[in-house]
């Protein structure tokens, strides 16, 4: 495995009906760090996210995860790779409790490995689910129905569901979209905590939001990689400044 990258895109391009949503993007994501993919609306961030998460394959180029070429891997194979995503579309069972939602996700991963009939495997699922809820800060909401949770708590629960598979890499697309400033603060702290045990990549169009918490920043613009570096590198980058100039919400 390439020690300086847990996942890497090599000259990746994606076209939609001839339109270049991504063009020749080569990025190395470092293990154990929080990397944010930023760029104005339409930059290609979600397309990049969808490619890392296996939602679709690039037209050109390769994606290498932990030394393995995963380009074009089918979604059911992808589930085994150690990559998990949490994204804007709600993925919860609204009429189940927070604890049950995580438990169901844990059970799905246990059964995937053919262990679900074993009592020993099932035993302790509730304890494991409780531990996941603790990680995402929802211990006191364990027995509330998912639909009764506040928006920020639902997003935290989605992250809990994503964590059930013990991913090596967690991908998040605009995790604070639609959140209040208070919820955003809580989510940012949670993301920082998650990085202590795994690699996290998040996609975000608000540059200021990620500057304070990211280890590395990748900037996309019109489907191309325009900068990569530490938050300080990016702050000092003239091209990035120009691209973000005049944008209201950075
Ligand atoms: P971002 O997430 O940075 O706002 P996207 O990756 O969603 O940008 O989109 C990049 C560009 O690709 C946009 O111009 C968008 O209109 C186009 N695009 C994205 N998905 C599709 C699609 N499924 N079909 C056609 N065009 C698309
Ligand atoms: Mg997007």
């Amino acid at each position: 495995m390439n020690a300086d990258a847990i996942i890497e895109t090599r000259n990746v391009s994606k076209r939609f009906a001839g339109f270049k949503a991504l063009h020749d993007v080569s990025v190395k994501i470092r293990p154990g760090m929080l990397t944010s993919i930023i760029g104005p609306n339409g930059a290609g961030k979600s397309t990049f996210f969808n490619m890392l998460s296996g939602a679709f394959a690039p037209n050109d180029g390769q994606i290498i995860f932990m030394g393995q070429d995963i380009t074009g891997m089918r979604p059911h194979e992808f589930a085994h790779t150690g990559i998990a995503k949490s994204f804007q579309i709600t993925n919860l069972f609204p009429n189940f409790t927070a604890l049950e939602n995580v438990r169901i996700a844990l059970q799905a991963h246990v059964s995937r490995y053919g262990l679900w009939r074993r009592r020993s495997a099932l035993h302790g699922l509730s304890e494991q689910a409780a531990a996941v809820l603790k990680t995402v800060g929802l211990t006191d909401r364990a027995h509330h129905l998912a639909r009764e949770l506040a928006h920020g708590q639902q997003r935290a629960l989605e992250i809990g569901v994503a964590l059930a598979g013990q991913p090596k890499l967690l991908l998040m697309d605009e995790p604070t979209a639609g959140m209040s400033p208070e919820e955003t603060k809580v989510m940012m702290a949670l993301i920082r905590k998650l990085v202590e045990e795994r690699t996290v990549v998040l996609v975000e169009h608000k540059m200021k939001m990620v500057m304070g918490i990211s280890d590395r920043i990748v900037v996309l613009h019109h489907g191309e990689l325009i900068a990569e570096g530490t938050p300080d590198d990016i702050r000092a980058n003239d091209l990035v400044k120009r691209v973000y100039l005049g944008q209201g919400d950075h």
Side-chain angles (χ1 to χ4, degrees), residues 47-91:
T47 304
F48 189 78
F49 176 91
N50 284 329
M51 230 141 9
L52 292 187
S53 70
F56 44 66
N59 295 108
D60 296 299
Q62 281 100 42
I63 302 171
I64 312 292
F65 176 64
M66 296 179 77
Q68 190 191 356
D69 189 340
I70 60 166
T71 320
M73 201 179 249
R74 314 285 304 206
H76 67 276
E77 298 172 299
F78 220 88
H80 298 275
T81 56
I83 301 174
K85 63 181 167 184
S86 169
F87 55 135
Q88 289 148 333
I89 303 151
T90 287
N91 202 16

Side-chain angles (χ1 to χ4, degrees), residues 181-191:
E182 193 45 49
E183 286 177 327
T184 298
K185 237 184 266 170
V186 171
M187 178 57 76
M188 287 310 195
L190 169 57
I191 291 169

Side-chain angles (χ1 to χ4, degrees), residues 14-17 19-22 37-50 56 88 173-174 203-205 220-223:
K14 179 69 185 174
R15 292 180 294 275
F16 294 109
F19 176 82
K20 283 182 187 170
L22 279 181
I37 314 291
I38 66 168
N41 283 326
K45 302 182 298 296
S46 292
T47 304
F48 189 78
F49 176 91
N50 284 329
F56 44 66
Q88 289 148 333
D173 194 358
E174 299 195 17
V203 158
E204 182 60 67
H205 81 279
L220 297 176
H221 183 49
H222 292 322

Side-chain angles (χ1 to χ4, degrees), residues 57-58 66 93 102 110-111 136 152 161 194 215 250:
M66 296 179 77
F93 296 106
V102 176
V110 172
S111 67
V136 299
V161 166
L194 296 174
D215 301 304
H250 54 97

